[in-house]
Amino acid sequence: MSTNPKYLLGTEANRIFMASETYELLNFGKGFPAAVGGSGWLNADGTIDPSHGEETWITSRMAHVYSIGHMLGYPGAGELADKALAGLTGVLHDDKNGGWYPQVHEDGTPEPGKVCYAHAFVILAASSALLAGRPGAQELLDEALATYDKHFWDEEIGLAVDTWNTEFTELDPYRGLNANMHTTEAFLAVADATGDNSYRVRAGRIIDHVIGWAKNNEWRIPEHFSSDWTVELEFNADKKDDQFKPYGATPGHGIEWARLITQWALSSFANLEGAEPYIEAAEHLFARAVADAWNADGTVGLAYTTDWNGKPVVTDRMHWTLAESLNTSATLYSATGKDEYAQWYATFAQYVDEHVIDHQGGSWFHQLDKDNHVIGTVWPGKSDLYHAFQSTLIPFLDPAVSIATAVKNAA
């Protein structure tokens, strides 16, 4: 591990390094507002790539980021958050059927379907905007929760369904954990922002399922399921690098779940005794992910996916997996006091600085190959700021509290 103070948790040098990144990212993303409202997809230079139109998940992420930016005092962040929110109340909203289109194309036509993943991000955006005091945030949050509760939350099993048709009349048989992971994040954010603890309880129900599946699978989390929640380990075996549903295990998700589980446990139990089994599960998930994917193919970095024996399948490095690695290693260090997590944080911070941050062009490269050359087959450009931005803050905030509430509390 590096001994450079810039990478060591708890040093002034590390805090300055990450704080300068916070500011740099907010600066880079300022050009996101699309003419029709909402956010465009950012190119490598921060301009908008019009071919992506406007997407609900990216618009929501930008609303979330700039709401937090506003609470940090970044000049103009509040107005930028409002421009993202205008996309969620305007062009991306389905006024006829309710809910949000996944995307509105460049020619103005909406992408069909209603996707849980996108709706979870609307909830996250609205809860952050509420904390930032943005106009209309409460109404947006109320509608987003009502829509989600009606169509996506399955109270009986305690998990979220994945995809409807546009009219919410036909439900796709696919069930997925990616949407449930961001639902967990959104539910924790709502519980923290509003004090409604029923959403924290729901997050715990999802987490219990995930830990059960992972434990029965050597701590590699199954991602894809049929309509009755039967595990489908071979899903997308012929489309291994799918943007949202890749084949096999995604170590970055094991790492991300480890943080969310720790956050939920720390916020749900009055004593550490109750939280301990969950933190232990989080440690297993983290350990499995780094054992399988870190430097696993002879070069430095974290492989994107592995098969069910832990052998790398897609060896590209995605920037979000490193952002989550920073978050989780710091969170586990805070929760356990074990030095190994501080060492992991330093290792990841050095890698991010040397390979992932674009020191010339700004922001972070979104995709590298296994030799750490920039590529764009899955993630062209630098679509949004969310993962990178959060990783410059979460390691320094209360690990029991969602990022927006933690920033507000710290202020």
Side-chain angles (χ1 to χ4, degrees):
M1 115 177 189
S2 172
T3 54
N4 184 334
K6 185 182 182 184
Y7 307 132
L8 302 183
L9 261 180
T11 63
E12 192 63 12
N14 177 248
R15 193 66 201 93
I16 290 168
F17 167 41
M18 286 301 176
S20 64
E21 270 304 296
T22 308
Y23 196 90
E24 155 58 36
L25 287 160
L26 288 167
N27 228 18
F28 178 86
K30 282 189 303 196
F32 79 78
V36 293
S39 174
W41 176 294
L42 297 182
N43 286 313
D45 62 358
T47 58
I48 289 177
D49 176 353
S51 72
H52 288 266
E54 291 75 44
E55 302 195 46
T56 294
W57 60 280
I58 287 190
T59 296
S60 299
R61 287 175 171 193
M62 289 309 212
H64 166 70
V65 165
Y66 283 93
S67 292
I68 294 170
H70 176 68
M71 291 189 278
L72 293 170
Y74 181 84
E79 292 74 18
L80 286 165
D82 294 344
K83 288 182 175 177
L85 293 166
L88 297 177
T89 54
V91 66
L92 290 162
H93 185 264
D94 181 350
D95 296 339
K96 183 182 173 195
N97 303 293
W100 286 267
Y101 300 116
Q103 180 182 21
V104 171
H105 294 286
E106 195 178 355
D107 64 2
T109 57
E111 175 71 20
K114 295 287 161 62
V115 181
C116 179
Y117 182 91
H119 284 73
F121 273 109
V122 176
I123 294 172
L124 183 72
S127 63
S128 300
L130 180 68
L131 290 165
R134 301 326 298 166
Q138 182 68 63
E139 294 77 4
L140 179 63
L141 181 60
D142 291 345
E143 185 188 352
L145 289 171
T147 304
Y148 195 100
D149 290 356
K150 183 177 180 184
H151 298 295
F152 293 105
W153 180 247
D154 183 342
E155 177 60 31
E156 195 181 336
I157 189 168
L159 289 160
V161 300
D162 204 86
T163 305
W164 288 92
N165 66 343
T166 304
E167 295 76 24
F168 285 117
T169 54
E170 284 174 46
L171 180 60
D172 192 286
Y174 173 83
R175 303 285 180 270
L177 271 204
N178 197 5
N180 276 275
M181 182 176 71
H182 288 292
T183 293
T184 300
E185 173 190 32
F187 282 175
L188 290 172
V190 169
D192 288 338
T194 67
D196 183 346
N197 215 46
S198 65
Y199 287 98
R200 195 180 316 280
V201 173
R202 283 189 188 181
R205 292 183 70 191
I206 298 172
I207 282 166
D208 282 338
H209 285 293
V210 172
I211 290 174
W213 284 315
K215 201 173 179 175
N216 291 329
N217 201 43
E218 297 181 31
W219 297 103
R220 296 182 186 100
I221 302 175
E223 296 269 351
H224 311 298
F225 300 80
S226 60
S227 59
D228 63 356
W229 289 98
T230 301
V231 175
E232 295 197 345
L233 293 181
E234 292 308 300
F235 186 87
N236 268 349
D238 55 344
K239 199 179 173 193
K240 292 189 168 60
D241 67 347
D242 187 271
Q243 194 175 22
F244 290 109
K245 299 174 183 173
Y247 165 77
T250 306
H253 281 163
I255 290 168
E256 195 168 351
W257 273 113
R259 174 175 65 83
L260 292 169
I261 290 166
T262 302
Q263 182 191 329
W264 175 82
L266 292 173
S267 67
S268 295
F269 297 97
N271 58 39
L272 209 55
E273 211 176 322
E276 256 172 16
Y278 289 95
I279 294 171
E280 206 173 289
E283 289 191 86
H284 281 301
L285 287 169
F286 180 87
R288 167 54 69 201
V290 294
D292 283 354
W294 183 252
N295 297 356
D297 39 21
T299 56
V300 67
L302 194 78
Y304 179 43
T305 62
T306 72
D307 66 18
W308 298 112
N309 300 310
K311 184 177 182 295
V313 174
V314 178
T315 57
D316 298 346
R317 284 79 168 95
M318 308 299 181
H319 91 291
W320 68 263
T321 66
L322 271 302
E324 292 306 327
S325 299
L326 289 169
N327 291 337
T328 302
S329 52
T331 296
L332 286 174
Y333 178 63
S334 183
T336 68
K338 293 179 183 174
D339 192 47
E340 65 186 274
Y341 296 118
Q343 292 179 20
W344 273 114
Y345 176 88
T347 299
F348 297 136
Q350 181 174 358
Y351 174 83
V352 165
D353 191 28
E354 291 177 354
H355 298 287
V356 186
I357 295 171
D358 182 351
H359 292 285
Q360 274 71 54
S363 190
W364 293 18
F365 299 120
H366 274 35
Q367 183 185 4
L368 306 166
D369 67 15
K370 79 177 185 70
D371 298 310
N372 292 301
H373 301 132
V374 180
I375 54 171
T377 54
V378 181
W379 292 107
K382 297 169 181 163
S383 58
D384 67 289
L385 305 176
Y386 154 84
H387 282 287
F389 176 79
Q390 291 199 144
S391 73
T392 69
L393 291 165
I394 286 174
F396 311 102
L397 296 167
D398 182 346
V401 181
S402 300
I403 180 172
T405 299
V407 166
K408 189 166 176 97
N409 292 348

